[in-house]
Amino acid sequence: MALIEHLTQEYLRTKKLPHIWCPGCGNGIVTAALIRAIERTGYDQRDVVIVSGIGCSSRAAGYLNFNTLHTTHGRALAFATGLKMARPELKLFVIMGDGDCSAIGGNHFIHAARRNIDLNAVIINNHIYGMTGGQHSPLTPTGMKATTAPRGTLERPFDLLVLARGAGATFAARGIAAQPRQLEQLIVRGATHKGFSVVEALSPCPIAYGRRNKLGGAVEMLRSMKDSSISVERAAETEDAELKDKTITGVIYSFDAPEYAEEYYRSISDNKG
Amino acid sequence: MPETKPVLMQGNEACALGAISAGVRFYAGYPITPSTEIAEHMAEKLPDLGGVFIQMEDEIASMAAIIGASIGGMRTLTATSGPGFSLKQENIGYAIMAEIPCVVVNVQRMGPSTGVPTAPAQGDVMQARWGTHGDHPIIVFSPASVYETYYLTIAAVNLSQKLRQPVIILLDEVIGHMREKVLIPEAGKLLVEKASDLVPSDWKPYDEKGLTPLVPFGFGHYYHVTGLFHDQYGFPTGDPPQVERALDRLHHKLEKNRDEIILTNYIGHKEPRVAIVTYGCTVRSARAVVTKAYWQNRLPVGLLSLQTIWPFPAREIEALAKQVDVIIVPEMNMGQIVGEVERYARGQAEVIPLNRYDGEMINPDQIYEQMGRWLS
């Protein structure tokens, strides 16, 4: 209890509450996991910066008591890249939604991964554009309904973590709002990883996504999220056929590669000498 | 300026060197003709100064990156040309709203669209003013020479820091690629204004009482930066009186510092009957006309050149219009600044546009011919 009070007082801008999120939204769960993760890293509060894009999830920045940068739609990683290069000692967490990161911000996402710049991307994936009332995103599963896909979307979603791997990311993990403790651990691991880290957090949007697709309320959505997920360790022992409709959670990959900001500053000090 | 040394350099190089002289240590950009040399000079020079050069994935990201670096406390600049300038507009608006200093150079080329990438034109005057959405203020400089490019870049950096306001340098392709003599002051002679390091304990990022220096991230002031309308602490608001106050704030800071922002220069007859009003490389042709008409032939003509085109030098035009019968406005476009001149001439003088939009400069003879009609 004491820890929760401490975190609330120190890391939340309680005067800015209540938040704007709908009843049953998973953004609060993910934000809480992020706060606990930051506490666990032991970072100095002054060194932590929260950068976000535009959308429901990106509003989290305004509620967090750090230096917070709420940018333009899709561009959070590009702002963060500039800030990180200017001030490599800062610890940057970049909160984005699925539309924000994978559609309008897709180019910045692959290039942040390619540079392996030490940013911690936390992507809250609720499979829908929530702020604008429920349009399909690049991560909306085929066949699901949205206001801009009233008969179900024909488009195919992609796996953000596979994309990141192809582009050069050195750490990726997936968690779900139904398992906030695991999510917290994954964010900690991403944060302490040197290089570009991606944590995808699946999160329910009962209002703009669940209702239209008859997925039930928040409780049902969280339950089915949990039922359909499998840890990466268990998945390794499971037949591929059984994994077809499963969401694999945990650290999907993690390895070392040169980090861009560090390499840059090393190269300029070498030149000087 | 004492103890200066003359150096032959290109306009784009002068822009890069001016920026460095003014303390710019962060450049993010994307290659585009005819501005690429600015990026190349920065890539060459910044690392040795401990600065950052980064080539971003696109123009939008370049604009975002310099804003991010400015919030980190660095002086920043990016350069582009028409198509890239279009792409940067949303984030330019963000920097205006969030009051983040930065300098954006647009080495103009012939448009619309891809246009003629290597041909000069002054077609982005209105885009520089109104390119980003909303009722925003903007500062735009238009250098007429390589020398002016160097000094206006320094002024742009200093002003952007002082006012926490993006400043745009609208360079002409002709200036960007021309080589000319620049008098470079020796180290330490240059005026580089520093934002105050002294931060009062009750510092607010958007203090209602007035402009405060930006305290970079990472120093324990946990403020919020957003493109939403915000209160004095940076937190979003939709409250009508606060929204109106916030927008007034952005405009008032430019109005209050008008004399420092508006730079113009008059040469020619003391009591002119015909005046030329122009900016950028077209000033050069107009100067040749004044040399011939006034200095050689003592005709009652003059030239008001505008180094600052936005905010528009309204008072200067108003005063000029009271003196003269005719104002000729040569521009390498289909007529953009001429509308503003007409507006502030308020019927006191006849305003005549002189336009060329074939990718060539307006030559002195064209202006001379137009002027002759009004002097005979």
Side-chain angles (χ1 to χ4, degrees):
Chain A
M1 227 26 212
L3 178 65
I4 288 177
E5 274 170 29
H6 164 73
L7 291 179
T8 306
Q9 292 302 320
E10 295 296 314
Y11 293 165
L12 267 185
R13 289 163 170 158
T14 48
K15 282 184 194 162
K16 300 297 154 194
L17 300 173
H19 55 67
I20 64 160
W21 297 319
C22 305
C25 175
N27 287 347
I29 300 174
V30 181
T31 304
L34 172 66
I35 290 173
R36 291 193 305 271
I38 291 171
E39 162 77 13
R40 284 181 53 180
T41 59
Y43 292 152
D44 189 325
Q45 190 173 4
R46 282 184 299 184
D47 291 340
V48 174
V49 175
I50 311 290
V51 185
S52 68
I54 293 291
C56 298
S57 52
S58 289
R59 285 298 188 100
Y63 307 128
L64 297 172
N65 194 31
F66 300 97
N67 279 130
T68 50
L69 178 59
H70 179 223
T71 68
T72 48
H73 195 27
R75 317 301 172 198
L77 285 169
F79 280 76
T81 298
L83 179 56
K84 182 70 184 178
M85 290 304 289
R87 297 283 297 285
E89 77 279 14
L90 298 179
K91 315 292 182 190
L92 275 68
F93 293 85
V94 186
I95 304 173
M96 294 168 281
D98 47 305
D100 190 46
C101 175
S102 73
I104 190 166
N107 198 27
H108 312 307
F109 182 70
I110 61 176
H111 291 281
R114 178 176 63 82
R115 292 186 186 101
N116 194 35
I117 186 163
D118 193 10
L119 303 172
N120 309 299
V122 177
I123 297 131
I124 304 184
N125 177 7
N126 60 7
H127 304 107
I128 203 83
Y129 286 85
M131 185 73 90
T132 44
Q135 296 74 38
H136 68 89
S137 90
L139 304 188
T140 305
T142 309
M144 300 307 269
K145 288 179 179 167
T147 60
T148 46
R151 299 168 198 186
T153 178
L154 299 175
E155 295 192 18
R156 300 189 306 158
F158 63 92
D159 185 326
L160 206 53
L161 306 188
V162 173
L163 175 81
R165 176 72 192 90
T170 51
F171 179 96
R174 185 181 292 112
I176 57 176
Q179 290 175 328
R181 287 293 169 186
Q182 181 204 31
L183 188 55
E184 171 190 330
Q185 286 165 14
L186 296 173
I187 297 171
V188 172
R189 287 199 51 190
T192 48
H193 173 82
K194 181 175 277 185
F196 187 63
S197 70
V198 185
V199 176
E200 181 184 17
L202 299 188
S203 172
C205 175
I207 301 296
Y209 182 63
R211 194 163 50 180
R212 185 165 288 106
N213 287 292
K214 301 194 167 43
L215 301 176
V219 175
E220 290 77 17
M221 288 183 81
L222 284 167
R223 187 172 292 136
S224 61
M225 187 181 276
K226 194 167 181 179
D227 291 346
S228 65
S229 74
I230 181 169
S231 74
V232 69
E233 293 81 10
R234 275 187 51 208
E237 299 162 0
T238 309
E239 294 290 322
D240 281 0
E242 283 180 53
L243 295 175
K244 198 170 159 274
D245 294 315
K246 293 283 188 189
T247 301
I248 299 175
T249 64
V251 176
I252 310 297
Y253 51 85
S254 173
F255 55 93
D256 293 331
E259 191 275 321
Y260 185 69
E262 191 177 80
E263 290 297 305
Y264 181 85
Y265 280 97
R266 183 183 297 138
S267 80
I268 68 172
S269 62
D270 287 352
N271 284 345
K272 266 185 192 166
Chain B
M1 193 77 61
E3 297 185 53
T4 51
K5 57 173 180 177
V7 183
L8 183 71
M9 67 172 81
Q10 195 196 45
N12 283 344
E13 186 182 2
C15 181
L17 294 184
I20 287 169
S21 301
V24 168
R25 291 295 179 270
F26 187 101
Y27 182 97
Y30 186 85
I32 183 166
T33 302
S35 78
T36 309
E37 294 87 357
I38 299 176
E40 288 170 343
H41 281 287
M42 289 304 210
E44 180 67 35
K45 299 218 157 53
L46 282 177
D48 288 339
L49 297 165
V52 176
F53 171 87
I54 185 165
Q55 183 172 315
M56 294 299 287
E57 54 271 21
D58 60 33
E59 298 278 5
I60 299 169
S62 307
M63 192 61 219
I66 66 164
I67 297 170
S70 286
I71 293 167
M74 275 184 150
R75 293 184 172 208
T76 65
L77 181 131
T78 186
T80 186
S81 185
F85 193 52
S86 297
L87 287 169
K88 289 188 192 302
Q89 292 297 340
E90 185 192 5
N91 284 338
I92 291 174
Y94 181 91
I96 294 167
M97 184 61 137
E99 300 189 58
I100 309 298
C102 56
V103 177
V104 180
V105 182
N106 172 10
V107 189
Q108 293 172 96
R109 65 192 226 187
M110 180 101 199
S113 192
T114 313
V116 185
T118 53
Q122 296 176 316
D124 300 347
V125 168
M126 283 297 171
Q127 194 198 4
R129 178 64 195 89
W130 293 115
T132 196
H133 60 281
D135 247 330
H136 58 281
I138 195 77
I139 299 172
V140 182
F141 289 151
S142 173
S145 66
V146 176
Y147 181 82
E148 269 188 20
T149 303
Y150 181 79
Y151 285 97
L152 285 176
T153 305
I154 294 168
V157 175
N158 282 335
L159 261 183
S160 84
Q161 291 289 323
K162 180 177 171 181
L163 302 179
R164 288 178 52 185
Q165 158 79 28
V167 177
I168 289 162
I169 299 174
L170 213 49
L171 209 54
D172 290 312
E173 186 277 338
V174 170
I175 308 291
H177 280 159
M178 172 172 41
R179 278 171 207 281
E180 245 182 343
K181 183 175 75 176
V182 178
L183 296 170
I184 301 278
E186 287 192 359
K189 297 282 179 200
L190 203 61
L191 183 68
V192 178
E193 289 174 7
K194 280 204 174 113
S196 172
D197 296 330
L198 298 170
V199 178
S201 55
D202 63 343
W203 178 82
K204 302 177 193 76
Y206 307 97
D207 201 323
E208 277 171 1
K209 289 186 208 121
L211 203 56
T212 51
L214 183 71
V215 177
F217 276 11
F219 294 99
H221 291 271
Y222 303 135
Y223 61 99
H224 189 55
V225 178
T226 178
L228 291 164
F229 271 97
H230 43 265
D231 61 19
Q232 57 178 345
Y233 299 95
F235 294 106
T237 179
D239 172 47
Q242 280 200 63
V243 166
E244 186 178 310
R245 252 202 326 271
L247 190 52
D248 279 340
R249 171 193 168 85
L250 296 180
H251 288 265
H252 286 165
K253 68 178 178 182
L254 266 64
E255 285 156 21
K256 266 188 215 159
N257 293 278
R258 185 196 186 275
D259 293 345
E260 209 175 322
I261 297 169
I262 305 274
L263 306 169
T264 63
N265 183 32
Y266 179 82
I267 56 167
H269 201 281
K270 272 185 190 159
E271 291 172 354
R273 279 182 51 214
V274 179
I276 306 163
V277 170
T278 192
Y279 52 92
C281 67
T282 311
V283 168
R284 306 173 75 90
S285 303
R287 270 199 207 121
V289 171
V290 173
T291 301
K292 186 172 163 190
Y294 173 65
W295 296 106
Q296 290 169 14
N297 297 331
R298 294 287 149 185
L299 294 170
V301 301
L303 161 67
L304 182 71
S305 59
L306 315 177
Q307 282 79 51
T308 306
I309 55 174
W310 302 112
F312 189 72
R315 284 185 215 161
E316 287 74 3
I317 296 297
E318 237 179 319
L320 183 71
K322 283 179 187 154
Q323 280 189 294
V324 301
D325 301 331
V326 177
I327 298 175
I328 299 170
V329 186
E331 301 180 82
M332 290 161 67
N333 55 41
M334 297 182 84
Q336 295 197 15
I337 217 88
V338 67
E340 297 300 308
V341 176
E342 203 156 31
R343 183 172 162 196
Y344 292 104
R346 302 189 196 284
Q348 301 276 318
E350 189 146 1
V351 177
I352 311 289
L354 199 174
N355 307 106
R356 183 162 188 174
Y357 39 88
D358 60 353
E360 294 285 340
M361 275 187 77
I362 293 175
N363 61 46
D365 288 346
Q366 279 178 277
I367 303 173
Y368 206 86
E369 189 194 322
Q370 179 67 257
M371 207 164 63
R373 286 184 207 150
W374 297 94
L375 287 170
S376 54

